């Protein structure tokens, strides 16, 4: 529980880590976490983005950032 409280208090730092982890995967999540989907984004792009999120979260877990 103490670890979770510390992580939540570091929200800004975690946002930056997630953004960098996503950039490594080829996804740019703008500051503020507003992500836009356009008509040009089809199922393949959405699936690629979701997979990139999974890899980014996995990377942060492996580094013990979350």
């Amino acid at each position: 529980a103490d670890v979770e409280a510390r992580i939540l208090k570091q929200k800004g730092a975690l946002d930056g880590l997630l953004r960098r982890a996503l950039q490594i995967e080829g996804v740019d999540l703008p500051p503020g976490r507003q992500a836009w989907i356009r008509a040009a984004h089809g199922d393949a792009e959405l699936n690629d983005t979701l997979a990139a999120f999974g890899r980014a979260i996995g990377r942060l877990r492996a580094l013990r950032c979350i």
Side-chain angles (χ1 to χ4, degrees), residues 7-63:
I7 289 171
L8 290 174
K9 289 178 183 177
Q10 296 175 357
K11 180 184 166 302
L14 287 175
D15 285 351
L17 288 173
L18 177 60
R19 184 168 188 220
R20 285 190 292 277
L22 284 168
Q23 286 172 334
I24 290 169
E25 298 297 334
V27 175
D28 189 14
L29 183 66
R33 290 169 278 144
Q34 290 183 349
W36 301 98
I37 298 173
R38 305 178 71 196
H41 296 135
D43 288 343
E45 291 81 14
L46 295 176
N47 288 332
D48 289 347
T49 301
L50 289 173
F53 263 90
R55 290 189 303 272
I57 295 297
R59 182 184 307 274
L60 294 177
R61 283 186 176 146
L63 294 171

